[in-house]
Amino acid sequence: MKIAITSTGKDLDSQVDPRFGRCAYFLIVNIDDMSFEAIDNASMSLGGGAGIQAGQFVASRGAKALLTGSVGPNASRTLNAAGLDVIVGVSGSIRDAVERYKSGELKATTQANVPDHFGMGSTGGMASGMGGGMGGGMGGGMGRGMGRGMGMGMGRGMGMSMPASNPEPPSSSRNQDVESLRQEADALREQLNSILARIDEMGKK
């Protein structure tokens, strides 16, 4: 009796591949003498319909049962229609999986245990997550930085131009400002004269 097992490698010591439609290899094992045939999964890179094509392929090889980790709804229907016993949740080495099947430990099911496009979705989800995280972070950071820079620049510019746009103050207020500036200039002049006088005195000694 032949059974099909999804495999990560080409021998009985390879691990069971958890994916069905997009597994790396199929091992077709004759459980009577443990002879086997390793076949590349031609459906592995398909964008869609991988489970259906893989199911048709397994049935065409004369297998009576399939051992794998996960099967989607479309593949499950194809395998059930072909009369195969479908056993999911299988892990470990191919050799151990065959022995467990022969001992009756593994039970068949007619239900899918993952959604369609499971194998492709797990990889796509990871890429989408990485891309979204990197893009969002960089975009948000640059956006906030530019916002702050523009805001400050506009604020300074407006502040500097405001005096020119304001109406001139009344003449009385201007006279007060001029007088205040004169007083400051006189005080500075006196301070400067005092410093110069001290310099002269120190030079004469």
Side-chain angles (χ1 to χ4, degrees), residues 82-187:
L84 272 76
D85 289 335
V86 181
I87 301 170
V88 297
V90 182
S91 60
S93 71
I94 303 296
R95 193 184 304 276
D96 288 344
V98 173
E99 292 301 328
R100 291 166 62 195
Y101 175 78
K102 290 170 64 175
S103 67
E105 182 180 342
L106 304 177
K107 303 299 181 183
T109 179
T110 58
Q111 302 296 321
N113 65 334
V114 293
D116 284 330
H117 311 299
F118 169 73
M120 181 175 63
S122 60
T123 303
M126 184 183 297
S128 176
M130 289 174 65
M134 292 172 65
M138 291 175 65
M142 291 176 66
R144 289 193 293 272
M146 290 174 65
R148 288 197 297 269
M150 290 175 64
M152 290 174 66
M154 290 174 65
R156 287 198 298 270
M158 290 175 64
M160 293 173 65
S161 63
M162 283 175 65
S165 63
N166 285 345
E168 293 188 4
S171 58
S172 60
S173 176
R174 181 185 298 174
N175 291 337
Q176 291 176 359
D177 291 341
V178 171
E179 183 62 27
S180 176
L181 289 172
R182 283 177 179 172
Q183 292 177 2
E184 289 183 14
D186 289 341

Side-chain angles (χ1 to χ4, degrees), residues 8 15 22-23 30 43 55 63 70 78 81 89 101 106 111 123 126 140 150 159 205:
T8 59
Q15 296 295 303
R22 291 182 173 79
C23 67
N30 187 326
S43 306
S70 307
T78 301
Y101 175 78
L106 304 177
Q111 302 296 321
T123 303
M126 184 183 297
M150 290 175 64
K205 291 180 178 180

Side-chain angles (χ1 to χ4, degrees), residues 67-79:
L67 278 59
T68 187
S70 307
V71 169
N74 290 336
S76 179
R77 285 190 289 269
T78 301
L79 293 164

Side-chain angles (χ1 to χ4, degrees), residues 5 7 9-16 27-30 33-38 92-99:
I5 309 173
S7 176
K10 295 184 176 183
D11 56 55
L12 297 176
D13 294 320
S14 300
Q15 296 295 303
V16 175
L27 259 63
I28 309 299
V29 182
N30 187 326
D33 59 8
M34 293 301 288
S35 61
F36 66 93
E37 178 184 11
S93 71
I94 303 296
R95 193 184 304 276
D96 288 344
V98 173
E99 292 301 328

